[in-house]
Amino acid sequence: MQHMMTRDNTRQHILDTAKPIILGKGFAAVGLNEVLTAAAVPKGSFYHYFKSKELFGEALLADYFNDYLTSIDSLLAPDHRPAALRLMAYWEGWRASLVNQDMQCQCLAAKLAGEVSDLSEAMRIALQEGTQRIIARIASCIVEAQSDGSLSSAIHPLDTATSLYQMWLGASLLTKMRRDASALNSAMRSTQHILMIDARQD
């Protein structure tokens, strides 16, 4: 039996369909008709959920960050490993995801930051708040690593988390431009230096 799509499912279906399209082309270059055709949703239904393309963009970013934060929480959750090693696994996963996608950035924050920040204040704020939440997760893991002795207490958790995230975001953009992994490899070496050179693994 074919199930009718509920209202919430329709909204999510639109967002899920739009994400890879916008990751490929950018926000401004994608018209609503392209998204609606791909999602097989009438225009009237779209405007029922999103009153404008800008509000749709806000919702798209909020949905992306919610999914990403869920993934981070899973990756950094306490297990048998020291927190510093879990944090390094997060960066390694970031590098591997780009390499496995043939250097195509799958980060909506990196894709849209330069494009929409000057076009939409609401979307700029959504990007800023979303990235701040990511940085907070990284900082929390650094605090945990300091508590379990796998990172030095000398580093400042929030400042270090901010610097690392900024570096990796920039590396993702350079990777897209260069079509090679050199920026990611450099980011990994710098991360190891910042975090692991003072790590106490004995």
Side-chain angles (χ1 to χ4, degrees):
M1 178 183 296
Q2 186 175 14
H3 296 283
M4 295 291 291
M5 194 175 292
T6 67
R7 292 175 60 180
D8 287 344
N9 284 342
T10 300
R11 181 182 186 279
Q12 190 62 49
H13 174 62
I14 295 171
L15 294 172
D16 291 343
T17 302
K19 180 184 170 185
I21 298 173
I22 290 174
L23 273 171
K25 297 183 176 181
F27 187 75
V30 175
L32 294 182
N33 284 338
E34 182 175 358
V35 173
L36 297 177
T37 298
V41 172
K43 185 173 289 188
S45 294
F46 176 89
Y47 284 110
H48 175 76
Y49 299 108
F50 314 104
K51 301 304 181 186
S52 66
K53 188 179 180 184
E54 182 181 28
L55 290 175
F56 165 67
E58 283 185 80
L60 187 69
L61 287 168
D63 186 68
Y64 167 78
F65 281 118
N66 284 337
D67 285 348
Y68 192 83
L69 288 163
T70 298
S71 175
I72 289 179
D73 289 341
S74 176
L75 288 169
L76 299 183
D79 57 18
H80 62 281
R81 298 170 298 169
L85 295 184
R86 301 200 306 270
L87 187 56
M88 290 307 299
Y90 166 68
W91 301 120
E92 180 54 48
W94 187 324
R95 178 171 64 173
S97 68
L98 274 167
V99 172
N100 292 340
Q101 292 291 333
D102 295 326
M103 312 305 168
Q104 293 298 316
C105 182
Q106 298 300 303
C107 174
L108 204 62
K111 179 71 176 182
L112 298 187
E115 177 188 357
V116 305
S117 292
D118 292 331
L119 300 177
S120 167
E121 180 66 7
M123 291 181 70
R124 184 194 69 78
I125 291 172
L127 281 163
Q128 182 179 13
E129 291 178 346
T131 55
Q132 286 174 338
R133 292 168 68 194
I134 294 171
I135 290 168
R137 296 298 205 282
I138 298 168
S140 179
C141 190
I142 291 173
V143 170
E144 185 182 346
Q146 291 173 324
S147 296
D148 69 22
S150 58
L151 282 181
S152 168
S153 60
I155 63 175
H156 188 282
L158 184 57
D159 288 350
T160 302
T162 301
S163 295
L164 289 172
Y165 183 77
Q166 289 170 169
M167 178 174 64
W168 279 88
L169 198 62
S172 296
L173 294 173
L174 288 170
T175 298
K176 183 176 177 63
M177 180 182 71
R178 295 173 181 172
R179 292 290 194 265
D180 66 42
S182 59
L184 296 170
N185 294 336
S186 177
M188 180 59 75
R189 288 192 297 271
S190 295
T191 300
Q192 290 169 336
H193 175 75
I194 292 167
L195 291 180
M196 305 303 287
I197 197 156
D198 293 322
R200 294 172 298 201
Q201 301 294 341
D202 52 332

